[in-house]
Amino acid sequence: MSIFSNGANMAAQRSLLRALGWTESEIQKPIVGVISAQSDIIPGHMHLEELARAVSEGVLAAGGKPVIVPCIGVCDGIAMGHEGMKYSLPSREIIADSVEILARAHAFDALVLIGNCDKIIPGMLLGAVRVNVPAAFISGGPMLAGHKDEGKLSLSSMFEAVGAYTSGKIDENELLRYECAACPSCGSCSGMFTANSMNCLLEALGMALPHNGTLPAVYSARLALAKRTGEAVMNLLQKDIRPRDILTPKALKNAVRVDMAIGASSNSVLHLLALASELGLPKAEFSIDTMNEISRVTPNLCRLAPAGEQYIEELDEAGGVSAVIKSLIDAGLFEGDALTVSGVSQEERTAGAKADARLIRHISDPYSPYGGLAVLHGNLASEGAVVKKSAVAPEMYRHSGPARVFDSEEEAMAAISGNQIHHGDVVVIRYEGPKGGPGMREMLSPTASLVGAGLGSSVALITDGRFSGATRGAAIGHVCPEAAAGGVIGVVKEGDIIDIDLDAGTVNLRVPEKEIAARLASFVPKEKPVTGYLKRYRAQVTSASDGAVFKN
């Protein structure tokens, strides 16, 4: 029952609800805020209006009053490679604030959150934790894979094609063929990129129903899933099950286990750390090093694009995230008693799941005995750095080479496009962290250009910025402390040798410690001129090792 349903003191508010055309019976029902990030500029969100209507039908069928309200979002792919990418990660905080504002200001009794891409889902998660009314998620679903010359492709194939064109490997007509084939439908881009990673992790966290992360956007079954989500949130309301009841330390660690098993995006590290911060978990309970502890004992069972040749739609056909969870539970690597929005435990709701071993390998026969992500430490990253190890060629697990130093993505792209990067180099892009960018831009354009130019298995890239989930190659991001915060990456000089050892988990600048100390003593970080929201963001944002959240 809504707080507006009874009492003379709410008569004025009820008059406004009547202005919306609400009936007496509607006013008496619990109000469920259906927060939808529908947008005509994001391919993953262009169809969310249909899902919002489907969710509303489910809420209505279960006795609630749904109200659809909006939420902003940024398409990382469209924002890539220009100033717009500076706003992607910062948008997460705006989205979290928006969820809080909408839900609190209108006294919603429960929430269904509908997003799909990159920072939208994490932002909604943070907001749901703050509000802490019964809540469930339904994502827009993945895009179908593109097809060209009997092969499959995705957005990452497109960026790599640009690199191939720039290096003269393909002509303009071939580039156009890629452009017209890479993204054939609505939905989040079709590989295990950040959007699909987070949508899969919603299932592992227990905040979404099975197949949320894998059922293609264009399938009618997703509309049915949306209706069931509307019904599920009403069940949560009846049982008074709230996000903080589901999002326990156990749930976060379960999410990391699934993350490692499916080879999710390196950006999931940022968002899980931010979620832990929002929940108020101490670092002793959940930190960036938790990722490594879990990675060491969790096998990598899936190799989806960009690490492999299979796509999210195929993961759905192979049993989806539920099958991965069931495999991990059976191996004693996942705590099955964790609660879910289904109102039952993970073990109960995945009991009947079956994995197709052609895509989800058996625990005894993994692609790798350790997880898809790795956190590196060393004098170049004393607070940590992140690499998607499952997307790195084995010959690059250990690499030493001269640093090619750039103070922005644009400078690095000019060098790559000008064929100034050579086999063995280590490209260093700094001042792209949360403060330095500001905004911690993704570096898909440089990494894809290197792969497209045939340098993906011989050149490493290190940055205090971050990478798209579509990135592959020896791409090490989230270097902390960042250059703008006085980190060692800020004093790397052209030609310095950098040593990378992914198996040992290290990234080091081969310069004597006394010399590094001397460089740091005279180092004055650069500060890029910014205005508006980015200026406020830079003043408030913390290190990527803390999830790039705002200061308390």
Side-chain angles (χ1 to χ4, degrees):
M1 182 176 292
S2 163
I3 68 165
F4 304 117
S5 60
N6 291 306
N9 62 325
M10 287 291 171
Q13 288 86 341
R14 288 197 297 274
S15 71
L16 292 170
L17 298 180
R18 295 182 192 281
L20 292 169
W22 288 23
T23 65
E24 186 65 37
S25 63
E26 286 178 309
I27 292 172
Q28 297 295 320
K29 294 176 180 177
I31 301 175
V32 179
V34 181
I35 302 181
S36 170
Q38 194 280 329
S39 171
D40 287 346
I41 193 60
I42 305 177
H45 289 210
M46 60 183 287
H47 62 304
L48 295 190
E49 184 176 356
E50 294 179 7
L51 288 182
R53 295 298 174 196
V55 166
S56 296
E57 290 178 26
V59 170
L60 285 167
K65 170 58 181 174
V67 288
I68 300 172
V69 292
C71 176
I72 69 160
V74 170
C75 177
D76 278 24
I78 295 174
M80 196 77 65
H82 60 91
E83 184 185 22
M85 179 47 71
K86 292 184 178 182
Y87 288 87
S88 174
L89 182 59
S91 74
R92 185 188 69 185
E93 311 312 309
I94 295 285
I95 292 164
D97 291 346
S98 296
V99 170
E100 177 187 357
I101 290 167
L102 285 164
R104 291 289 188 215
H106 302 106
F108 293 155
D109 297 292
L111 299 173
V112 176
L113 301 116
I114 311 175
N116 211 25
C117 296
D118 294 284
K119 311 312 158 304
I120 294 93
I121 292 297
M124 287 178 163
L125 263 175
L126 301 183
V129 166
R130 282 185 212 165
V131 177
N132 202 36
V133 297
F137 282 73
I138 171 71
S139 301
M143 182 184 292
L144 296 175
H147 292 265
K148 177 182 171 294
D149 300 333
E150 299 182 359
K152 293 183 178 179
L153 29 142
S154 66
L155 183 65
S156 62
S157 311
M158 191 63 240
F159 278 95
E160 290 173 13
V162 171
Y165 170 75
T166 302
S167 61
K169 294 181 180 294
I170 63 173
D171 61 18
E172 191 171 348
N173 288 333
E174 183 67 2
L175 181 64
L176 180 61
R177 292 186 66 221
Y178 273 96
E179 182 180 328
C180 294
C183 300
S185 75
C186 65
S188 48
C189 298
S190 55
M192 188 54 78
F193 312 147
T194 306
N196 290 326
S197 295
M198 292 307 302
N199 292 335
C200 288
L201 293 190
L202 283 174
E203 294 185 49
L205 287 165
M207 289 300 294
L209 298 181
H211 294 279
N212 172 76
T214 56
L215 188 63
V218 295
Y219 286 9
S220 296
R222 184 156 285 275
L223 293 173
L225 182 63
K227 292 175 184 177
R228 291 199 300 274
T229 303
E231 294 170 350
V233 81
M234 292 302 296
N235 182 52
L236 294 173
L237 182 60
Q238 182 180 5
K239 294 181 177 179
D240 194 29
I241 298 174
R242 299 166 183 256
R244 286 179 179 268
D245 298 322
I246 296 172
L247 295 170
T248 61
K250 180 188 301 183
L252 265 68
K253 290 175 183 177
N254 278 344
V256 176
R257 292 179 181 105
V258 170
D259 186 305
M260 297 303 170
I262 64 177
S265 164
S266 59
N267 284 316
S268 62
V269 174
L270 269 180
H271 302 317
L272 290 174
L273 289 172
L275 181 57
S277 176
E278 192 68 51
L279 289 164
L281 301 183
K283 286 191 175 183
E285 198 159 19
F286 193 90
S287 71
I288 192 169
D289 291 321
T290 304
M291 310 287 177
N292 260 357
E293 293 165 10
I294 292 175
S295 179
R296 283 194 288 267
V297 297
T298 308
N300 181 215
L301 305 179
C302 304
R303 282 285 165 94
L304 298 153
E309 302 300 321
Q310 296 160 317
Y311 290 80
I312 301 296
E313 62 198 77
E314 294 168 89
L315 176 58
D316 190 69
E317 295 166 3
V321 177
S322 289
V324 175
I325 291 173
K326 176 68 161 55
S327 297
L328 294 174
I329 289 174
D330 290 347
L333 296 172
F334 188 102
E335 297 192 61
D337 60 343
L339 186 59
T340 72
V341 293
S342 302
V344 299
S345 70
Q346 290 278 13
E347 186 169 23
E348 289 175 278
R349 82 171 187 178
T350 61
K354 294 181 180 179
D356 185 337
R358 290 173 295 180
L359 193 141
I360 303 169
R361 287 197 173 183
H362 192 269
I363 292 286
S364 63
D365 181 36
Y367 285 100
S368 167
Y370 41 75
L373 296 180
V375 176
L376 312 181
H377 288 281
N379 64 12
L380 195 53
S382 59
E383 294 178 6
V386 180
V387 63
K388 188 171 182 176
K389 192 173 179 180
S390 61
V392 180
E395 58 266 32
M396 289 296 289
Y397 280 12
R398 296 185 67 185
H399 179 79
S400 296
R404 303 297 310 280
V405 183
F406 306 96
D407 287 345
S408 70
E409 178 188 3
E410 288 81 2
E411 291 179 17
M413 276 300 296
I416 296 168
S417 300
N419 298 316
Q420 297 171 29
I421 304 301
H422 308 292
H423 293 282
D425 286 347
V426 178
V427 176
V428 177
I429 306 177
R430 60 196 182 191
Y431 295 105
E432 291 289 2
K435 287 183 178 295
M440 204 178 185
R441 287 193 287 183
E442 289 184 346
M443 301 288 152
L444 180 56
S445 294
T447 55
S449 293
L450 288 171
V451 171
L455 299 172
S457 59
S458 63
V459 170
L461 194 153
I462 295 176
T463 181
D464 52 11
R466 59 195 177 89
F467 296 111
S468 165
T471 289
R472 61 188 176 108
I476 299 168
H478 306 202
V479 170
C480 297
E482 61 175 297
V488 172
I489 191 173
V491 297
V492 177
K493 293 182 178 180
E494 187 82 7
D496 283 347
I497 300 300
I498 293 176
D499 298 315
I500 299 165
D501 190 332
L502 301 191
D503 286 329
T506 58
V507 54
N508 285 295
L509 181 64
R510 197 192 299 174
V511 171
E513 290 303 316
K514 286 186 178 180
E515 170 65 16
I516 292 175
R519 292 185 191 181
L520 288 173
S522 60
F523 176 48
V524 179
K526 295 180 179 180
E527 189 171 279
K528 298 176 182 177
V530 290
T531 59
Y533 178 55
L534 289 182
K535 187 173 183 178
R536 286 182 279 131
Y537 180 83
R538 180 171 63 193
Q540 296 183 72
V541 74
T542 60
S543 169
S545 62
D546 294 321
V549 296
F550 281 174
K551 298 172 186 175
N552 289 328

